[in-house]
Amino acid sequence: MQFYGTEITSRLLLGTAQYPSPAVLAEAVKASGTEIITVSLRRETADGSGTAFWRELQKTGRRILPNTAGCHSVQEAVTTARMAWELFDTPWIKLEVIGHADTLQPDVFGLVEAARILSSEGFQVFPYTTDDLVVGEKLLEAGCEVLMPWGAPIGSGQGLRNPDALRAMRAHFPEVPLIVDAGIGRPSDAAQAMELGMDAVLLNTAVAKAGDPAGMARAMALAVEAGRAGFAADPMERRDMAVPSTPVLGMAEFA
């Protein structure tokens, strides 16, 4: 699997917020086997207090995917992305332009505009978006090579609210890397996303807020692997009626 020409083995991307301590975060990252971790720029700029946190992230040896979490306008997101490139020395950016305070649903109009600006400046944009096909097309036209549809509102742990829409995205964008971002609460949610043909899953709260973050990180990694294997094995179609597993032809007749 490739993101912007970079070969990736693990299909689980992990967020780094809300962990009880840097040590617990490091254990979870290790247990997950992830190669990519996301981090908010705000953690690094607030009165210098993020320095220790950044050092801990560097120790993990994982690739950093900076994000624009908390940005509610195009200008805010673009400025944050530019600062993130300078600080983290990477053109990768997980682009968030939040449009609704309660649902944290993306402002898809601002998202497309910000993606167009950043792509023109050489950024490699990972847009947090809805499962809308038209918005997906606009983001690709804006220069994105990856789409990150939500499964449910951020931090809700509700699982996949609209699996049919995600299935439609897979069919409509067969060659585009799709990463389900937001809403994953349990390993079964991650497995379902992968069974639908998603290329990867990005999650944070489900691991950070688990009673045993490292244990949950490991469970999520196994679920992603199992779901992907299930998709690759071409599952049978669902049936409305029962069908006997054992052939009835040739059964013995009893007088």
Side-chain angles (χ1 to χ4, degrees):
M1 178 181 57
Q2 290 189 349
F3 298 146
Y4 290 101
T6 298
E7 192 72 28
I8 301 297
T9 302
S10 173
R11 295 177 182 271
L12 174 60
L13 288 67
L14 199 62
T16 56
Q18 305 184 68
Y19 286 85
S21 71
V24 173
L25 166 61
E27 291 175 1
V29 169
K30 182 178 180 180
S32 72
T34 186
E35 298 169 56
I36 301 172
I37 55 177
T38 64
V39 60
S40 170
L41 180 69
R42 292 177 300 162
R43 294 291 299 267
E44 308 312 312
T45 56
D47 63 25
S49 59
T51 302
F53 176 71
W54 172 228
R55 289 174 180 162
E56 290 297 327
L57 293 183
Q58 288 178 304
K59 290 179 183 176
T60 68
R62 268 58 175 187
R63 185 173 184 121
I64 301 295
L65 174 57
N67 67 58
T68 62
C71 294
H72 289 258
S73 70
V74 173
Q75 185 57 53
E76 193 177 7
V78 168
T79 300
T80 301
R82 289 168 177 164
M83 295 171 65
W85 190 338
E86 182 176 346
L87 180 63
F88 297 108
D89 192 27
T90 174
W92 280 19
I93 189 74
K94 179 193 168 190
L95 181 61
E96 296 184 21
V97 182
I98 301 301
H100 194 278
D102 292 334
T103 65
L104 299 183
Q105 180 173 348
D107 169 4
V108 295
F109 304 100
L111 180 69
V112 171
E113 182 180 351
R116 184 174 293 110
I117 294 170
L118 293 173
S119 295
S120 70
E121 296 179 3
F123 279 89
Q124 295 173 339
V125 180
F126 295 68
Y128 161 63
T129 183
T130 64
D131 47 30
D132 189 295
L133 298 181
V134 177
V135 176
E137 290 177 342
K138 297 296 182 184
L139 287 168
L140 296 178
E141 291 172 4
C144 298
E145 297 181 10
V146 176
L147 297 176
M148 302 183 73
W150 66 348
I154 293 173
S156 68
Q158 296 176 1
L160 306 184
R161 274 187 166 184
N162 194 348
D164 288 338
L166 294 175
R167 188 180 291 108
M169 287 196 79
R170 180 69 293 165
H172 195 69
F173 304 114
E175 305 300 328
V176 177
L178 299 179
I179 306 172
V180 167
D181 180 14
I184 299 296
R186 290 168 173 73
S188 55
D189 303 328
Q192 183 187 15
M194 299 305 295
E195 287 176 357
L196 291 173
M198 300 296 106
D199 293 282
V201 167
L202 193 161
L203 54 91
N204 184 168
T205 309
V207 170
K209 292 300 184 182
D212 176 5
M216 184 59 74
R218 177 59 178 157
M220 288 292 186
L222 293 172
V224 166
E225 185 176 345
R228 180 65 184 180
F231 172 74
D234 191 14
M236 64 172 283
E237 296 295 330
R238 292 180 182 272
R239 295 167 173 164
D240 294 329
M241 300 296 291
V243 177
S245 300
T246 303
V248 296
L249 185 65
M251 288 185 62
E253 296 184 4
F254 300 95

